[in-house]
Amino acid sequence: MIDPASRLARAAFGSEPGAWPLPDPATAEQAWHRAVAAGGQGRYAVALADLERLARMADGATFASLAHSTRASFARQLGGHAAARSWDGRAWAAAGNDADAGADALIGLAADALGVGRFALSSDLLRRARHVEGTSQRIAVRFEWVSAELAMATGRASSAVDHAERAVGLAAAMGSTRHAVKSEVVRAAALCCSGDVEACRAVAESALSMARELDLVPLTWALACLLSDVGSAAGGPAEIGALREDAAATVRRRGGAWSVR
């Protein structure tokens, strides 16, 4: 029998991102892990409650910065880049000398800047994050995601594909299934940006199958949006559109509030 701490870690950053229900957390780290896993499934009400619980735990201060970064990522997933920037700013202020927390906050701020069209600022923040020493594989994957997204936004399609492919390799080495699926989402988008629609479609369809199997609802929604644009051999426009709307509705039922931009 797997102990609760291991179950939560595997759901957050390992091979079981679709596991649910998960045990109640007994430590701040466990609360963070369950929040991350719940957010990956679009269970935002549970995830936010766990982050609130984390703040009240004896060891909560240790994870405060990571918790703020996690809240920021939830806001971005729902289209709220301005709200995300506030949480990422708090994450940066709370990071102290923790390399992962500091780099996480900088990468989050870069994603926030990108989301509102401040590309030069996004690039500068990514440069700062790249020079933080002693960070984990998770941070390396996130760095490649946002670097790929920035390259797409600034018309550097080849660079976007390179960053996305590095993310795929790093996620595989990390052993996180959720990071692997998200990396394929980024790769599909980069391939679309490069004009290779057939490759984009193939990658997106494969990733969509995995996301649905693992109940990774936000990624299911993102992939359905992409396939609505490029077409899918796995389903016609009506089917893909229905899948997109169902994923969005599931997020709302699970406590997520989409931002209107």
Side-chain angles (χ1 to χ4, degrees):
M1 183 176 180
I2 302 172
D3 68 272
S6 295
R7 284 186 64 196
L8 290 164
R10 287 167 66 164
F13 300 118
S15 60
E16 299 177 3
W20 199 264
L22 290 167
D24 286 338
T27 67
E29 181 177 38
Q30 290 175 25
W32 179 53
H33 284 167
R34 195 169 78 159
V36 169
Q41 297 173 25
R43 301 180 189 275
Y44 293 108
V46 174
L48 292 173
D50 281 333
L51 293 178
E52 291 291 339
R53 182 188 301 191
L54 179 161
R56 297 190 297 270
M57 290 178 164
D59 54 344
T62 304
F63 287 88
S65 178
L66 293 173
H68 294 332
S69 289
T70 301
R71 289 192 70 139
S73 72
F74 295 163
R76 278 193 302 275
Q77 288 167 18
L78 295 167
H81 288 83
R85 181 174 58 186
S86 174
W87 285 110
D88 279 319
R90 297 185 197 186
W92 173 246
N97 294 322
D98 187 304
D100 261 25
D104 219 0
L106 288 169
I107 292 168
L109 287 165
D112 302 332
L114 168 59
V116 297
R118 299 185 66 184
F119 302 142
L121 175 60
S122 181
S123 179
D124 180 61
L125 288 162
L126 284 173
R127 278 195 297 271
R128 291 175 63 185
R130 187 175 62 238
H131 290 112
V132 176
E133 296 182 356
T135 55
S136 66
Q137 290 176 308
R138 180 181 71 84
I139 297 300
V141 174
R142 292 196 67 229
F143 175 85
E144 297 297 344
W145 289 346
V146 180
S147 296
E149 290 163 358
L150 178 60
M152 284 184 261
T154 53
R156 296 176 291 116
S158 177
S159 178
V161 173
D162 289 343
H163 283 294
E165 289 181 345
R166 280 197 289 273
V168 169
L170 288 165
M174 177 184 169
S176 170
T177 303
R178 178 172 54 84
H179 283 71
V181 177
K182 169 66 182 289
S183 297
E184 293 292 0
V185 175
V186 176
R187 184 159 76 108
L191 288 166
C192 181
C193 184
S194 75
D196 195 342
V197 176
E198 282 194 25
C200 161
R201 187 180 297 121
V203 171
E205 287 174 345
S206 176
L208 178 62
S209 178
M210 292 180 65
R212 294 183 69 187
E213 179 181 349
L214 295 167
D215 197 31
L216 300 177
V217 179
L219 293 181
T220 297
W221 176 82
L223 288 158
C225 289
L226 178 57
L227 288 169
S228 291
D229 290 336
V230 301
S232 171
E239 183 178 348
I240 296 297
L243 181 60
R244 180 189 62 209
E245 294 307 313
D246 180 65
T250 299
V251 164
R252 288 191 291 269
R253 286 196 303 273
R254 293 178 176 180
W258 296 97
S259 295
V260 178
R261 296 181 62 189

